[in-house]
């Protein structure tokens, strides 16, 4: 049985009495590549923040690598790409290399690496060689997103959480990014949770689907989803077809 | 008067030693505070310092000893208001600042009005810095600078993207609390250099000067420190030579350097072509 990376049991989250997640149960195992989909306000970002220990649950429990997320020590095993690109001030005086090196903080805090080699590798991988000394505010939206992706990948994490990673990428870069994720998942057995609105394309790259709408509506393989009569009646067979046709 | 004679005065030596350390300290913290949109924290905490000094004078205690704990507690008050009371940083600073200045005015009024001593804290007098104050400035400045040096990566990460810093396992709340405490201590030290009225200038102007041409976060901290140090030394020289108030002169040299940095960026910087 593969290692359990995340386990949620009856997880609920409420903000000011408003229920955002309710009775969520699932297990993510090593090597899973999960497409996390759901409508706006369905709790996708809240769920991944719970996984990381950024938000506390109001009921139930969630574990990350066997510990409560806030207590998990080996943070260098995690790569995280936040949802919004505009979280930083575009006038912030910081270079591409400085931003990427932040991805190695957990590794450095564990005394494992100074990170120069890893930074060089990821800069080359994401085609950022000519941009390394540029200020982040001088880059286009797509270039900035590549830098933030590089920050999430630089420590070669075992578990990657990516919240809408490709919204600003052009189709070519987007393709090579998904190829890279596929390679990480296949060759290095990296576990991936990919939050996306691309419900029609999710089957192209992920191996499992989690459909969330405050609770888990479906979690399993695409074959199971595509042949499920329950899901056909829940989504309508046309929507089911849209999700399944590229798988 | 030549340079050797100028530097031979004990009060000038004390002013340059303590002032240099405090100015570098202000520059380093200022870069972080401005980027976190907490530029006005120096202003707010210096108003609390005014309340602390007025209280010390009313009770006949040493002003630094009374102000320091009050300002540190107030800085935590600002942090807690931001975290727990759903108050934006600038509003939290305004609330604490108003309380400080109101208490100061009340105490000054009760204890016989604004005397010469209180004015000296309002406008500062680096040339009258005592041996005890210089010792406190050296010890505290070195401690603060060492803390920033050892936690540089963590401070940078929190400043750029707090959520990512938390996800990386950085104890963000603890570091934020320490940064607030360091800012409070720095504000109290700075009141002797430029006075309560001009404290925030020493925190903010070197930072915004650096941002005009800095090519990275580390680079911004270095430029801000050099600019602040240069302003301090030049300000002390000019004020002594022309018999001007030292605090205001230091601030005006800072403003002059900011204008120079702005013009440099405008004509020669990477944005010149925009």
């Amino acid at each position: 049985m593969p290692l359990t990376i995340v386990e949620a049991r009856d997880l609920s989250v409420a903000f000011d009495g408003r229920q955002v997640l309710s009775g969520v149960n699932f297990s993510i195992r090593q090597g899973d590549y999960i497409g996390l989909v759901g409508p706006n306000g369905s709790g996708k970002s809240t769920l991944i923040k719970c996984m990381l220990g950024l938000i506390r649950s109001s009921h139930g429990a969630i574990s990350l690598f066997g510990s409560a997320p806030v207590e998990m020590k080996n943070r260098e095993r995690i790569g995280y790409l936040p949802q919004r690109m505009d979280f930083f001030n575009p006038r912030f005086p910081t270079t591409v290399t400085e931003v990427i090196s932040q991805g190695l903080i957990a590794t450095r805090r564990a005394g494992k690496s100074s990170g120069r080699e890893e930074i060089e590798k990821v800069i080359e991988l994401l085609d950022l060689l000519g941009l390394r000394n540029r200020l982040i505010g001088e880059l286009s939206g797509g270039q900035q997103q590549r830098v933030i992706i590089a920050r999430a990948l630089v420590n070669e994490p075992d578990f990657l959480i990516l919240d809408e990673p490709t919204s600003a990428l052009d189709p070519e870069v987007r393709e090579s990014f998904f190829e890279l994720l596929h390679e990480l998942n296949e060759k290095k057995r990296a576990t991936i949770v990919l939050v996306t609105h691309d419900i029609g394309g999710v089957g192209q790259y992920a191996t499992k689907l989690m459909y969330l709408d405050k609770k888990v509506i479906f979690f399993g393989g695409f074959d199971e989803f595509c042949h499920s009569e329950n899901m056909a009646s829940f989504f309508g067979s046309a929507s089911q077809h849209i999700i399944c046709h590229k798988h | 008067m030549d340079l050797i004679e100028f530097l031979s005065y004990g009060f000038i030596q004390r002013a340059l030693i303590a002032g240099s350390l405090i100015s570098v300290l202000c520059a380093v913290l200022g870069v972080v505070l401005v980027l976190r949109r907490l530029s006005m924290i120096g202003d707010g905490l210096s108003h609390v310092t005014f309340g602390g000094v007025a209280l010390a004078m009313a009770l006949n205690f040493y002003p630094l000893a009374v102000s320091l704990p009050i300002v540190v507690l107030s800085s935590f008050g600002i942090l807690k208001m931001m975290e727990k009371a759903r108050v934006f940083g600038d509003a939290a600073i305004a609330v604490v600042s108003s309380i400080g200045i109101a208490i100061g005015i009340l105490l000054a009024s009760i204890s016989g009005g604004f005397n010469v001593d209180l004015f000296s804290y309002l406008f500062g007098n680096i040339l009258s810095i005592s041996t005890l104050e210089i010792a406190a400035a050296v010890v505290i400045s070195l401690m603060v600078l060492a803390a920033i040096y050892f936690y540089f990566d963590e401070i940078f990460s929190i400043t750029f993207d707090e959520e990512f810093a938390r996800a990386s396992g950085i104890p963000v709340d603890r570091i934020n609390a320490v940064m607030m405490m360091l800012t409070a201590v720095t504000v109290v030290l700075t009141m002797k250099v430029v006075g309560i009225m001009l404290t925030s200038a020493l925190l903010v102007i070197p930072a915004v000067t650096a941002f005009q041409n800095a090519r990275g976060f580390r680079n911004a901290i270095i430029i801000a420190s050099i600019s602040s140090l240069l302003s301090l030394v030049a300000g002390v020289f000019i004020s002594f030579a022309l018999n001007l108030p030292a605090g205001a002169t230091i601030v005006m040299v800072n403003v002059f350097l900011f204008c120079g940095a702005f013009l440099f960026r405008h004509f020669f910087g990477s944005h010149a072509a925009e």
Side-chain angles (χ1 to χ4, degrees), chain A residues 1 42 124 202 230:
Chain A
M1 169 85 76
S42 59
E124 207 178 313
V202 67
N230 278 345

Side-chain angles (χ1 to χ4, degrees), chain B residues 176-191:
Chain B
N176 276 342
V178 171
M179 285 298 287
M180 274 293 185
M181 195 183 74
L182 300 184
T183 305
V185 171
T186 304
V187 165
V188 175
L189 287 177
T190 309
M191 82 177 163

Side-chain angles (χ1 to χ4, degrees), chain A residues 16 49 52 54 72 75-76 78-83 87-95 98-99 101-106 108-109 133-136 138 148 151-152, chain B residues 31 34-37 86 151-171 175 210-211 214-220 270-271 274:
Chain A
D16 298 329
K49 283 178 185 175
L52 289 163
L54 301 175
M72 194 224 159
R75 288 276 165 171
E76 70 278 7
I78 300 169
Y80 173 48
L81 190 140
Q83 182 185 19
F87 59 83
F88 65 88
N89 174 359
R91 290 186 182 171
F92 198 107
T94 185
T95 61
E98 282 180 332
V99 173
S101 75
Q102 283 179 58
L104 286 163
I105 281 188
R108 281 203 211 106
R109 282 169 66 83
N133 294 320
R134 296 273 297 275
L135 296 180
I136 187 87
E138 294 173 353
I148 302 300
R151 182 181 68 168
Chain B
V31 167
V34 173
L35 288 171
R36 299 193 74 182
R37 299 173 198 261
R86 287 185 169 191
Y151 289 95
F152 184 85
D153 284 344
E154 284 82 353
I155 291 167
F156 170 48
S157 187
I158 293 170
T159 307
F160 183 72
D161 181 356
E162 192 171 301
E163 185 176 293
F164 184 84
R166 282 184 199 277
S168 302
I170 293 173
I175 290 179
F211 296 158
R215 302 295 302 173
F217 185 70
R218 204 176 284 271
N219 187 233
S270 56
H271 303 283
E274 283 175 11

Side-chain angles (χ1 to χ4, degrees), chain A residues 3-244:
Chain A
L3 183 74
T4 300
I5 306 292
V6 181
E7 182 147 44
R9 289 284 163 260
D10 199 20
L11 181 77
S12 297
V13 176
F15 297 130
D16 298 329
R18 189 173 55 88
Q19 205 70 31
V20 181
L21 290 174
S22 174
V24 171
N25 290 290
F26 63 86
S27 289
I28 297 175
R29 309 226 178 256
Q30 186 178 26
D32 281 351
Y33 185 166
I34 296 160
L36 176 54
V37 297
N40 285 334
S42 59
K44 302 186 292 293
S45 293
T46 302
L47 181 61
I48 61 171
K49 283 178 185 175
C50 273
M51 289 180 195
L52 289 163
L54 301 175
I55 291 176
R56 285 176 193 266
S57 60
S58 40
H59 183 75
I62 187 162
S63 68
L64 178 64
F65 288 98
S67 321
V70 281
E71 287 162 15
M72 194 224 159
K73 296 282 179 223
N74 304 324
R75 288 276 165 171
E76 70 278 7
R77 299 182 72 177
I78 300 169
Y80 173 48
L81 190 140
Q83 182 185 19
R84 283 152 52 91
M85 282 296 298
D86 55 353
F87 59 83
F88 65 88
N89 174 359
R91 290 186 182 171
F92 198 107
T94 185
T95 61
V96 166
T97 308
E98 282 180 332
V99 173
I100 295 172
S101 75
Q102 283 179 58
L104 286 163
I105 281 188
T107 315
R108 281 203 211 106
R109 282 169 66 83
K112 289 183 184 164
S113 164
S114 69
R116 227 171 251 178
E117 273 175 38
E118 288 91 335
I119 292 172
E120 291 306 315
K121 215 160 109 184
V122 82
I123 279 180
E124 207 178 313
L125 197 68
L126 283 150
D127 197 19
L128 293 166
L129 275 170
L131 304 175
R132 60 194 311 157
N133 294 320
R134 296 273 297 275
L135 296 180
I136 187 87
E138 294 173 353
L139 308 182
S140 69
Q143 289 170 330
Q144 286 177 348
Q145 193 146 24
R146 268 153 60 200
V147 175
I148 302 300
I149 290 170
R151 182 181 68 168
L153 297 178
V154 66
N155 54 341
E156 297 182 355
D158 300 330
F159 180 35
L160 258 171
I161 300 178
L162 308 160
D163 198 350
E164 295 280 354
T166 57
S167 53
L169 297 183
D170 57 51
E172 204 176 303
V173 179
R174 195 167 171 270
E175 267 323 296
S176 61
F177 170 66
F178 282 126
E179 272 172 31
L180 179 66
L181 289 187
H182 180 73
E183 203 178 300
L184 284 171
N185 178 246
E186 284 281 302
K187 291 188 182 160
K188 300 198 170 173
R189 299 266 298 143
T191 309
I192 299 169
V193 173
L194 177 78
V195 179
T196 179
H197 275 108
D198 181 15
I199 198 159
V202 67
Q204 225 178 331
Y205 27 85
T207 54
K208 282 186 177 176
L209 178 75
M210 184 185 286
Y211 191 93
L212 193 74
D213 193 0
K214 294 190 168 41
K215 57 186 178 182
V216 176
I217 306 294
F218 177 83
F219 181 42
F222 278 87
D223 287 339
E224 188 188 338
F225 177 83
C226 296
H227 296 107
S228 162
E229 284 180 16
N230 278 345
M231 289 299 109
S233 59
F234 183 84
F235 286 101
S237 43
S239 300
Q240 192 186 31
H241 178 72
I242 289 169
I243 295 171
C244 296

